Amino acid sequence: MSAVKNGVTQTSAASHAPVIGGTRYKEVKNGILAALSAKEWKGGEAIPSEKKLSERFGVSIGTLRKAIDELVADNILVRHQGLGTFVAQHQRDRYFFRFFRVVRQDGDKTYPTVTHMSFARAKASREVAAALGIEPGARVFSFVNRLALHGETVMIDSITVAEERFAGLTEAALRERPSTLYNFYQDAFHINVVGTEERLRVVTANETDAELLDVPQGTPLLEVRRIAYSYHQEPVELRISHVNTARYEYVGPSASHEEPI
Amino acid sequence: MSAVKNGVTQTSAASHAPVIGGTRYKEVKNGILAALSAKEWKGGEAIPSEKKLSERFGVSIGTLRKAIDELVADNILVRHQGLGTFVAQHQRDRYFFRFFRVVRQDGDKTYPTVTHMSFARAKASREVAAALGIEPGARVFSFVNRLALHGETVMIDSITVAEERFAGLTEAALRERPSTLYNFYQDAFHINVVGTEERLRVVTANETDAELLDVPQGTPLLEVRRIAYSYHQEPVELRISHVNTARYEYVGPSASHEEPI
DNA sequence: AAGTGGTCTAGACCACTAC
DNA sequence: TAGTGGTCTAGACCACTTA
């Protein structure tokens, strides 16, 4: 009896997977992403073992592993042999240089010294609203950081986030954060930055730039416009950086391990 | 008898894999990379079927597939269901925008119109030699392209390659190439560009820049210094681009699918 | 010793492409 | 119809971590 020779009829529905997708492992991947979005597991926490997850989603270990493989490739999960699989967490010594791409022209990488300059509530302009996926006029927080490398002021970051996603953010909390900004987003708001989009162009220093960077007004600077994304491409932060590249430079993409097209 | 309960003792040597690595699938991956470096299969050609390769390397299909999975993730191979697995080939409509990262500020992507400006043989400076991994004083070819987008001149590319890797390169062949430069490298020299490193900074237009880009001398420009790599991180091209970002901009990395650090 | 992820196997069925 | 890659299974053994 039982005509099933091997495994399961792949075309049958996966009753345990909460989110549908073309294939079983995609369903599992989406299911895990959904659980992450629902904050079932937070930054740095371990997710259930492969055995348990394979039972939860009703798939074999191999299929479950393929789903996790992709989430690890996306830097959303981290595996530690013998320990478990964890929600990737931003740390000073981990992931930092994937998002901080300014180095000295001789190649020397160092952590920036951040000075908080200002903090304000404001209403989103049309441009800011489009970048953050919110309504024009919606409330946002804007703050400015000055970054120094090797003791030299190198760049100014102007950062904007939506108030609805960062409810209760205060200048004091920002000033007193113990680690990186993206780590702070995780710990205080359970917002996980997993990707960015950046566009670069040349601009000239305005009055504020000139003062903060200690360069003459009109000095050419590198402008980096970044949108940071959480799961499912949800935009969570707009950041405009002005970089003095007299002795520093920006490290571009490596064009391998890069998305197709 | 035969105490082997399941599969093979993983620790035993893989006698068929020509290159050793920590695990079987890494050995297979290195073996395929070695065959590619030896030009056993050229750009655009199909490699043997998974069945044949698994027999050649003495591993199961699953292990063979894991090796190929990584090579596909590295954009070195391309799979086509029902057809086979192929050596990735640079084409106008494929891979082009992974290496060409300048777009109009409204986001519009278009193919550049390339004008060949000059061609020369020269000796490698210390800096060029270091970038290309050759001896200072070794012979190199240098050529300059002017690129226009939407009918407007936007950037100047100064390209240098080692004569020992591009023996017989002529200005005529360059001018008459039918497709992209990296496709030309593949077809004419069997050199496969699979990755790049880029550093960006702001410069001001020198006399040549000003003339070719039709901007005043001293205009701030974006400088992109790229080293292009073939298999095994072999540097094969140095390219210095000067970009007028008045109406265009540079698309940075996306910081997902990116190598760790 | 128990539990976790890491590697590997052997084979089934599906989807697609070419002839 | 034959051949290819794509998905999935069920389970073994290895390596690592914690206790």
Side-chain angles (χ1 to χ4, degrees):
Chain A
M1 35 227 58
S2 169
V4 177
K5 292 192 182 171
N6 176 31
V8 176
T9 91
Q10 292 161 225
T11 47
S12 72
S15 52
H16 296 80
V19 182
I20 48 173
T23 61
R24 306 274 266 136
Y25 81 84
K26 285 284 183 192
E27 286 175 11
V28 173
K29 181 180 178 181
N30 287 332
I32 295 174
L33 268 174
L36 285 165
S37 295
K39 299 172 184 178
E40 188 170 332
W41 316 297
K42 307 199 175 77
E45 286 183 11
I47 70 173
S49 72
E50 299 184 341
K51 182 85 172 10
K52 280 181 185 149
L53 284 174
S54 68
E55 286 161 4
R56 165 165 168 178
F57 289 105
V59 297
S60 74
I61 287 270
T63 302
L64 185 275
R65 280 184 65 80
K66 181 152 183 179
I68 293 190
D69 281 347
E70 292 201 355
L71 291 166
V72 169
D74 292 345
N75 297 305
I76 288 172
L77 298 178
V78 178
R79 286 200 267 230
H80 288 299
Q81 188 173 0
L83 262 173
T85 303
F86 298 78
V87 182
Q89 187 171 38
H90 291 277
Q91 287 166 351
R92 224 181 117 84
D93 56 341
R94 175 134 213 186
Y95 295 103
F96 187 81
F97 289 109
R98 176 155 44 238
F99 295 95
F100 184 75
R101 311 188 71 92
V102 175
V103 304
R104 200 162 61 186
Q105 287 182 3
D106 64 9
D108 189 69
K109 277 183 189 173
T110 188
Y111 294 102
T113 303
V114 181
T115 307
H116 177 91
M117 304 304 291
S118 67
F119 179 85
R121 292 179 67 216
K123 291 186 179 180
S125 67
R126 234 183 34 215
E127 195 202 1
V128 166
L132 291 180
I134 58 179
E135 292 300 314
R139 286 283 175 184
V140 296
F141 297 113
S142 282
F143 51 100
V144 175
N145 285 331
R146 187 179 67 189
L147 280 68
L149 295 165
H150 307 94
E152 178 179 2
T153 299
V154 174
M155 60 195 286
I156 306 297
D157 284 359
S158 302
I159 297 169
T160 305
V161 298
E163 191 172 312
E164 65 183 78
R165 293 199 189 90
F166 288 81
L169 177 63
T170 64
E171 183 166 24
L174 263 182
R175 279 183 187 281
E176 291 154 17
R177 70 189 139 87
S179 183
T180 71
L181 194 52
Y182 288 168
N183 188 352
F184 173 68
Y185 291 173
Q186 283 187 310
D187 286 352
F189 302 98
H190 305 310
I191 287 176
N192 301 274
V193 172
V194 297
T196 58
E197 271 182 24
E198 298 191 339
R199 299 296 180 97
L200 285 74
R201 65 176 77 160
V202 178
V203 296
T204 50
N206 61 27
E207 204 176 336
T208 312
D209 292 331
E211 190 189 334
L212 295 179
L213 287 171
D214 194 26
V215 296
Q217 215 169 313
T219 301
L221 302 173
L222 179 64
E223 176 177 273
V224 183
R225 304 174 74 85
R226 169 195 292 182
I227 300 174
Y229 294 91
S230 181
Y231 307 131
H232 302 301
Q233 260 69 263
E234 184 193 9
V236 295
E237 180 203 67
L238 170 65
R239 178 184 301 213
I240 298 175
S241 304
H242 282 185
V243 188
N244 178 357
T245 62
R247 278 172 292 279
Y248 291 81
E249 57 190 9
Y250 175 93
V251 180
S254 62
S256 56
H257 299 273
E258 202 88 4
E259 65 277 37
I261 256 217
Chain B
M1 14 237 76
S2 164
V4 176
K5 292 192 182 171
N6 175 31
V8 175
T9 92
Q10 294 160 225
T11 47
S12 72
S15 51
H16 298 80
V19 182
I20 48 173
T23 62
R24 305 274 264 137
Y25 82 84
K26 285 284 183 192
E27 287 174 11
V28 173
K29 180 180 179 182
N30 286 333
I32 295 174
L33 267 175
L36 285 166
S37 294
K39 299 174 184 176
E40 188 169 331
W41 316 297
K42 308 200 174 78
E45 286 183 10
I47 69 174
S49 73
E50 298 184 341
K51 181 89 171 10
K52 280 181 185 148
L53 284 174
S54 69
E55 286 162 3
R56 164 165 168 178
F57 289 106
V59 297
S60 75
I61 286 270
T63 302
L64 186 275
R65 279 186 65 81
K66 181 152 183 177
I68 292 190
D69 281 346
E70 293 202 355
L71 292 166
V72 169
D74 292 344
N75 296 306
I76 288 172
L77 297 178
V78 178
R79 286 200 267 227
H80 287 299
Q81 187 173 1
L83 264 174
T85 303
F86 298 79
V87 181
Q89 186 171 39
H90 291 278
Q91 287 164 353
R92 224 180 118 86
D93 57 342
R94 176 135 211 184
Y95 294 105
F96 186 80
F97 288 109
R98 176 153 47 236
F99 295 95
F100 184 75
R101 310 189 71 92
V102 175
V103 303
R104 201 161 62 185
Q105 287 181 4
D106 64 9
D108 189 68
K109 278 183 187 175
T110 188
Y111 294 102
T113 303
V114 181
T115 307
H116 178 91
M117 303 304 290
S118 67
F119 179 85
R121 292 179 67 215
K123 292 186 179 181
S125 67
R126 234 184 32 217
E127 195 201 0
V128 167
L132 292 179
I134 57 180
E135 291 301 313
R139 286 284 174 182
V140 295
F141 296 114
S142 281
F143 51 100
V144 175
N145 286 330
R146 187 179 67 189
L147 280 70
L149 294 165
H150 307 94
E152 179 180 1
T153 300
V154 174
M155 59 193 288
I156 305 297
D157 285 358
S158 302
I159 297 169
T160 305
V161 297
E163 189 170 314
E164 64 183 78
R165 294 200 189 90
F166 288 80
L169 177 64
T170 65
E171 185 168 23
L174 262 182
R175 278 184 188 281
E176 292 154 17
R177 68 188 141 88
S179 183
T180 71
L181 193 52
Y182 288 170
N183 188 350
F184 174 67
Y185 291 174
Q186 283 188 311
D187 286 353
F189 302 98
H190 305 309
I191 287 175
N192 301 273
V193 171
V194 296
T196 58
E197 271 183 23
E198 298 192 338
R199 299 295 180 96
L200 285 74
R201 64 176 79 158
V202 178
V203 297
T204 50
N206 60 29
E207 203 176 336
T208 312
D209 292 330
E211 191 188 333
L212 295 179
L213 288 171
D214 194 26
V215 295
Q217 216 167 312
T219 300
L221 303 172
L222 179 63
E223 177 177 273
V224 183
R225 304 174 73 85
R226 170 196 292 182
I227 301 174
Y229 295 92
S230 181
Y231 307 130
H232 302 302
Q233 259 70 261
E234 183 192 9
V236 294
E237 179 204 67
L238 171 65
R239 176 183 304 211
I240 299 175
S241 304
H242 283 185
V243 187
N244 179 357
T245 63
R247 278 172 292 279
Y248 290 81
E249 57 190 8
Y250 176 93
V251 180
S254 63
S256 58
H257 297 275
E258 203 87 4
E259 65 278 38
I261 254 219

